Amino acid sequence: MNPLFFSPPHSPGILASPTSFRLRMFEKSLTDLIQGLRANKRNESEYISKSLEEIQNESAAIDKLNYLHMLGYDMNWANFNVVEVMSSAKFSEKRAGYLAASQSFNQDTDVLMLATNLIRKDLASTNFMEIATAELAMDLFDDVLAILGHSRPYIRKKAIACLYKMTLKHPEGLHDFVPQLKERLDDPDPSVVSSAVSVICELAHTNPRNYLPLAPKLYHLLNSSNNNWMLIKIVKLFASLTPIEPRLAKKLHGPLSSLICTTTAMSLLYECINTAVVGDIISVPLPVTDSIGREIDFAELCAHKLEVFYDSSDHNLRYVGLVTLAELQVRRPDLVVNQYETILRCLDDPDMGIRMRALQVISGMATRRNLSQIVKRLMSQLILSNTIALKPGNTEGGPDEDELESTPLIDPSGVSLVSAKGSFTTPKKAASSSEPNAADNPEYRLAAVEAIIDMCSRQSYANMTNFEWYVAVLVDLVYIAGVDVGQLLSQRILDVTVRVRQVREYSVRMMRQLLSDVRLTDFVSGESPHAAVLSTAAYILGEYCTLVPASCDDIGLLLFPCLRQLTSDQQAAFVLAAMKVYTNWLQDVSGYWNDEVWELVRSTNTTTMDSITSLFLGQEGDDLDVVVAELPLQVEGLLRSFIEITKAVSVATSNMSASEPPVCRELHSLFTMYELNPVSAAAQGKVPVPDGLDLDSWIGDEIPDTSLRVLPPPPPPRQTRAPAQRNYASKDHKANRKDQPLGMLPDVDSIPVMQLDLGDLATARPKPRKSDKPKKKKKSKSSKRHKKPTPEPSPPMVPVDIVGDEDMPDIPTKPLNDTPAQQPGSISGDTDNAGAEQPASPPQQH
Amino acid sequence: MIESVLIFNQLGKPRLIKTYKQLDTATQQQLLREIHSLVSKRSDTLCNFLHGSQQLVGSSSRIVYRHYATLYFVFIVDSSESELGILDLIQVFVEALDRVFENVCELDLIFHFDDVHYILSEVVSAGMVVETNLAEISKAVNEGRRQKKPLPEPSRVGIGALRRGFV
């Protein structure tokens, strides 16, 4: 764009010509306007408004206006003049007028009536219009239809295109148009046929069924034509026709396979393969003879030819190749799976579109054997771009970059690198710096995280061989995802921990590590991406705290300073977990009671009380009761119980006693009396409603709906499904009554219904699985003696399912180096139990 | 069908805007800016297809573009068009321009923007491809240009000129 470069390269010297000079005295030509515009780069808009004024007042050129219109200036005021020019007798003027009209007129243009008549007159000669309006279309339809039979093919092909536009606005015209169109398919001129095919494709795109009768003609064209453009169109059209008429598939088999074998045009080849795959023509059981005379399966031929595309160095071919490969994968996964290496290479493509496609394909081809390799690749992409993003200005004293590059990305021993080394800031910070790297694209990161999770947990963890590794991956993702996937990750962490008994201990340790990471817990709030993960971590730590050595430090982790910033459900999760951890610890230390332990219990109790006070009480001297009563309902009930516990402990330990006080020993059994087992999402429906229990009536007084205490609606009435219930009970719950989920205990009254305040603890848990806990749930449901019903938040229940033994690893593939924790035996050790429970909870894909 | 054809330079200056759906002037400009921002930051090593996700280009539409020297040729098409086919079509269109202008450059497109419109209308009409044969295209275009020849300058048609009896 050199401003010195004024003169148009191919115009004869305009200033030299006397005619043009004479004209210039009165008006600026289009060329002048453009030159002037280019000369006035600095104040373009000023120049344009000046020119517009000139055009308006003195003399004007429609072309000039048209040019300015392209630059975004309105030219509607000149509509009448445009029609004037359109009516000129000179072809060139008329053409300029029509161009201007087709560019600027729309269906609201006021001079359309004039234009309509004019066009009708002109149609007798040559021209055509592209603006179509309902009125215009109706008026002119017959005129244009008449010229379809024009002697010149040029006019015929234009008329066909024009008529299509008109039928969009004037659908009644289709009746007359389609038969005519069919005739045009036999037109001697190839471009007319091509236009007709284009229009038919366009029409069939919206309503394929109506155009099935044209299939024989199109089929004939497919076999006879050599116009690649038209062939592409026809092939694409057949792709939309085959789903409606399955018999076409067999017909198309021949021509498509011969086209695929012979054509040299990549675009045509691609469309043929695409149609063969999408239209499911590959499943036609007819053999094809390939170029060297062998007979091969059509699907194999397609897969083979497709390789040329996605393995090409041309990005466009690679992109479309992957699109079709994804389709092929759906139908014939066996043909795709050996392309694993190629697809892995595509994952590193700089192009976002290609990467996303490759991601889609690769996640479909994950198997037990290659899972860890794929996940490692994806994780390294996430991690590397994060590292790059962190380079500027991050001086938090992590390991230097060389070290980062040389360290393995995922430490298979389970201690994830990122969480251990502390070199990564929170993803938010990382995401704020923008690198033009495709892996930094939030969309890609999200897709990558989802793909990892999908690959790992597909079909009840069918691909998983090492669950500890999976938990480590999830925890790493918390750090490196760089996008808000907290909800998803927390859900998956919970899912794997609950379903897979063997990973629980490891998971608890990882969760403890998460909770003790100040980079996550500092400044956390209900909205921050980590909040969901943290509250899940708290839940797991509380629920399974018996699996790891008890430590009173965990209480401090759970009652952390930013707790109050979380949402009330999350707060409740933390308080409950703290309570579980605390009582577990009390029980643990009661085992070796002595003076020292007594001192320790006393001091820990005081510390715990203090942390509660400082967390939930604003100032010294506030009445605890008053403050607690103002808390959200979920937190309130739990906190009251917690305070009761600390008070009881403080009373019991006020004096040194020879043996441990019973309260210390027994409190934890409140939470562990029944083991909490996963049940199928549908299990609740199979629970029979005890006689005399009306689930629709309120328990106690109706609670007014206030903003502070939002109660879920009362549970819907449950239908007793007799056969299902019988099945359920007889099949799975013979052996271990204790492990049975809610409702499998027929003698409801035998459940101890005491310690109401402590019972509240459990029912207020926000976690779905809580509702399965037999003891407490039963109480809240069956006893109407509750003075206040604890709300039972009912988030969508995570379908739970213990992985059956057939899904447990049988081959210790050792996906990563030195994996001491990976012991297949440790997972399959409990498979009897798991297998027994599976029928009750059919595997659910989610 | 083809929804629109845009030609613009690296700075986003329009050289041709042709939409086959009715869009008002302001929307056209917005479309231009949107596409320019999408396309101009892509390096030549990336693929030439983009899936529409923006406001004006729906998710069912695809953006197929080619980058020639200073200019971007962008076709916005719906799902019934073949991406590779459109890519070839752009090549045909540019070759047609080259035949008509002989060594076409950006300045040709600036100073003969009306001709560019006419050439495009030979290739694409009402959103549909009507001709892909280069010889046919240039024949039709040259016919149109011959009729225009008597004029001293490319298309100096003005309302005022008509009124005053010039030309």
Side-chain angles (χ1 to χ4, degrees), chain A residues 356-502:
Chain A
M356 293 290 260
R357 302 283 155 182
L359 199 61
Q360 190 188 348
V361 175
I362 202 121
S363 81
M365 57 170 56
T367 63
R368 267 170 197 224
R369 286 175 195 287
N370 62 20
L371 176 73
S372 66
Q373 204 184 344
I374 298 173
V375 171
K376 213 157 104 184
R377 185 67 161 256
L378 290 175
M379 296 278 283
S380 61
Q381 284 186 346
L382 293 176
I383 224 171
L384 278 178
S385 69
N386 239 354
T387 321
I388 296 164
L390 282 174
K391 272 180 189 169
N394 179 24
T395 51
E396 286 185 12
D400 58 50
E401 275 136 30
D402 291 343
E403 194 183 330
L404 273 179
E405 280 160 12
S406 57
T407 40
L409 295 168
I410 305 156
D411 187 339
S413 68
V415 186
S416 65
L417 169 88
V418 270
S419 31
K421 287 257 169 90
S423 62
F424 295 90
T425 52
T426 56
K428 222 170 189 174
K429 190 167 177 185
S432 66
S433 120
S434 61
E435 285 279 331
N437 182 344
D440 273 337
N441 187 318
E443 212 179 307
Y444 178 74
R445 300 186 78 90
L446 184 64
V449 172
E450 279 170 354
I452 291 175
I453 287 173
D454 174 51
M455 279 185 279
C456 291
S457 59
R458 184 178 300 156
Q459 293 163 5
S460 302
Y461 303 101
N463 292 330
M464 188 54 62
T465 52
N466 183 348
F467 285 96
E468 298 192 354
W469 170 78
Y470 178 47
V471 172
V473 165
L474 288 174
V475 169
D476 278 351
L477 283 177
V478 171
Y479 288 89
I480 64 172
V483 280
D484 186 2
V485 285
Q487 205 66 43
L488 180 67
L489 289 174
S490 64
Q491 201 193 354
R492 301 325 297 174
I493 292 173
L494 191 62
D495 188 78
V496 70
T497 310
V498 172
R499 284 192 196 207
V500 186
R501 204 177 287 267
Q502 292 73 26

Side-chain angles (χ1 to χ4, degrees), chain B residues 27-166:
Chain B
T27 323
Q28 285 184 9
Q29 294 300 314
Q30 205 186 331
L31 179 73
L32 176 77
R33 280 194 297 275
E34 220 176 84
I35 303 291
H36 174 253
S37 71
L38 276 178
V39 167
S40 61
K41 60 181 179 221
R42 290 175 71 86
S43 81
D44 284 351
T45 59
L46 302 184
C47 81
N48 297 22
F49 315 123
L50 276 170
H51 269 264
S53 55
Q54 310 272 318
Q55 207 178 351
L56 287 172
V57 187
S59 57
S60 64
S61 307
R62 278 148 319 158
I63 302 163
V64 182
Y65 71 95
R66 263 184 193 270
H67 187 192
Y68 290 94
T70 55
L71 288 177
Y72 286 98
F73 287 72
V74 183
F75 278 50
I76 301 166
V77 300
D78 70 6
S79 59
S80 71
E81 298 288 345
S82 151
E83 291 105 328
L84 292 174
I86 292 293
L87 215 53
D88 289 347
L89 184 74
I90 298 177
Q91 181 66 30
V92 168
F93 177 45
V94 174
E95 277 174 32
L97 289 175
D98 197 50
R99 278 207 187 186
V100 174
F101 292 118
E102 292 152 25
N103 280 329
V104 65
C105 69
E106 187 179 346
L107 285 167
D108 292 316
L109 268 60
I110 298 170
F111 284 98
H112 301 276
F113 91 105
D114 47 345
D115 283 335
V116 180
H117 267 289
Y118 299 139
I119 297 166
L120 179 65
S121 78
E122 297 304 329
V123 181
V124 181
S125 181
M128 263 154 312
V129 180
V130 289
E131 187 60 77
T132 50
N133 186 333
L134 264 180
E136 288 285 329
I137 296 168
S138 46
K139 198 178 101 194
V141 172
N142 286 335
E143 208 170 299
R145 275 162 78 93
R146 241 198 340 272
Q147 301 218 26
K148 195 164 81 166
K149 273 259 163 76
L151 280 178
E153 275 311 302
S155 173
R156 98 182 15 260
V157 183
I159 305 156
L162 282 173
R163 282 190 188 139
R164 287 168 206 175
F166 285 111

Side-chain angles (χ1 to χ4, degrees), chain A residues 453-652:
Chain A
I453 287 173
D454 174 51
M455 279 185 279
C456 291
S457 59
R458 184 178 300 156
Q459 293 163 5
S460 302
Y461 303 101
N463 292 330
M464 188 54 62
T465 52
N466 183 348
F467 285 96
E468 298 192 354
W469 170 78
Y470 178 47
V471 172
V473 165
L474 288 174
V475 169
D476 278 351
L477 283 177
V478 171
Y479 288 89
I480 64 172
V483 280
D484 186 2
V485 285
Q487 205 66 43
L488 180 67
L489 289 174
S490 64
Q491 201 193 354
R492 301 325 297 174
I493 292 173
L494 191 62
D495 188 78
V496 70
T497 310
V498 172
R499 284 192 196 207
V500 186
R501 204 177 287 267
Q502 292 73 26
V503 84
R504 284 182 194 163
E505 184 198 333
Y506 177 75
S507 181
V508 171
R509 282 194 276 117
M510 290 307 280
M511 294 306 114
R512 186 188 273 165
Q513 208 175 323
L514 273 181
L515 286 168
S516 51
D517 190 336
V518 287
R519 283 167 300 151
L520 295 183
T521 53
D522 273 0
F523 311 114
V524 74
S525 75
E527 287 82 39
S528 60
H530 301 313
V533 175
L534 286 176
S535 68
T536 299
Y539 171 75
I540 290 173
L541 181 57
E543 185 61 32
Y544 302 114
C545 57
T546 49
L547 299 175
V548 292
S551 153
C552 59
D553 297 339
D554 289 349
I555 307 163
L557 289 183
L558 291 165
L559 298 175
F560 72 107
C562 297
L563 180 61
R564 294 302 305 281
Q565 311 300 319
L566 301 175
T567 65
S568 48
D569 278 354
Q570 290 161 348
Q571 288 183 37
F574 274 93
V575 172
L576 176 64
M579 202 147 51
K580 286 176 183 167
V581 166
Y582 183 50
T583 53
N584 178 47
W585 177 77
L586 281 177
Q587 190 184 26
D588 189 62
V589 293
S590 310
Y592 37 94
W593 189 260
N594 57 26
D595 277 6
E596 253 174 63
V597 172
W598 174 68
E599 267 303 326
L600 187 62
V601 170
R602 271 173 65 97
S603 67
T604 309
N605 199 43
T606 319
T607 325
T608 309
M609 281 178 100
D610 286 350
S611 8
I612 296 175
T613 320
S614 64
L615 266 178
F616 291 94
L617 289 181
Q619 295 156 351
E620 204 75 21
D622 272 357
D623 186 7
L624 194 63
D625 261 0
V626 175
V627 176
V628 169
E630 283 171 5
L631 288 170
L633 197 55
Q634 301 97 309
V635 188
E636 181 198 327
L638 291 168
L639 205 61
R640 275 186 200 285
S641 311
F642 204 172
I643 293 168
E644 286 303 319
I645 289 174
T646 52
K647 277 181 182 162
V649 171
S650 116
V651 169

Side-chain angles (χ1 to χ4, degrees), chain A residues 11-241:
Chain A
S11 68
I14 166 175
L15 292 172
S17 148
T19 349
S20 69
F21 181 73
R22 194 157 57 87
L23 282 168
R24 270 172 59 84
M25 290 176 64
F26 299 98
E27 66 174 36
K28 285 189 192 142
S29 74
L30 170 65
T31 316
D32 296 332
L33 173 79
I34 297 172
Q35 278 181 345
L37 256 178
R38 294 168 67 77
N40 287 283
K41 273 202 191 316
R42 295 271 161 70
N43 42 5
E44 207 171 72
S45 57
E46 203 177 295
Y47 182 79
I48 287 175
S49 54
K50 210 178 93 204
S51 310
L52 274 176
E53 218 167 88
E54 282 172 17
I55 292 167
Q56 219 162 349
N57 295 336
E58 306 164 16
S59 59
I62 288 301
D63 275 345
K64 277 202 270 183
L65 273 180
N66 209 349
Y67 187 81
L68 293 179
H69 178 252
M70 177 174 78
L71 296 178
Y73 293 87
D74 195 44
M75 62 178 279
N76 277 342
W77 53 267
N79 281 339
F80 183 76
N81 311 71
V82 172
V83 177
E84 250 187 329
V85 178
M86 277 162 72
S87 66
S88 157
K90 275 205 158 77
F91 172 73
S92 56
E93 289 163 20
K94 194 184 271 299
R95 194 151 90 137
Y98 273 104
L99 177 61
S102 73
Q103 284 294 88
S104 70
F105 282 12
N106 60 37
Q107 48 188 337
D108 304 321
T109 303
D110 43 4
V111 292
L112 273 186
M113 268 308 245
L114 285 172
T116 312
N117 289 322
L118 181 63
I119 294 164
R120 178 170 290 156
K121 230 167 63 190
D122 286 343
L123 276 176
S125 54
T126 52
N127 233 315
F128 81 102
M129 277 279 289
E130 280 171 19
I131 37 162
T133 69
E135 236 177 290
L136 200 64
M138 230 168 344
D139 289 350
L140 289 176
F141 192 79
D142 291 334
D143 298 271
V144 182
L145 207 58
I147 61 164
L148 259 188
H150 198 274
S151 57
R152 286 180 58 194
Y154 180 80
I155 307 292
R156 291 202 296 271
K157 76 181 180 200
K158 293 268 178 176
I160 289 170
C162 178
L163 279 169
Y164 165 67
K165 267 297 200 210
M166 291 181 161
T167 51
L168 285 186
K169 292 284 176 186
H170 176 56
E172 296 83 10
L174 271 177
H175 285 294
D176 301 326
F177 181 40
V178 173
Q180 289 261 16
L181 206 54
K182 201 174 169 184
E183 264 173 48
R184 288 303 123 218
L185 286 178
D186 296 328
D187 200 283
D189 186 87
S191 13
V192 178
V193 181
S194 164
S195 316
V197 169
S198 294
V199 172
I200 290 171
C201 291
E202 212 49 64
L203 291 169
H205 187 60
T206 45
N207 189 359
R209 200 169 288 277
N210 287 359
Y211 298 90
L212 266 181
L214 294 176
K217 276 213 161 143
L218 294 170
Y219 181 77
H220 175 71
L221 283 173
L222 182 66
N223 281 321
S224 58
S225 168
N226 55 2
N227 177 342
N228 280 346
W229 176 264
M230 193 164 77
L231 285 174
I232 289 175
K233 275 283 177 191
I234 296 175
V235 167
K236 273 195 90 87
L237 177 62
F238 274 121
S240 61
L241 289 183

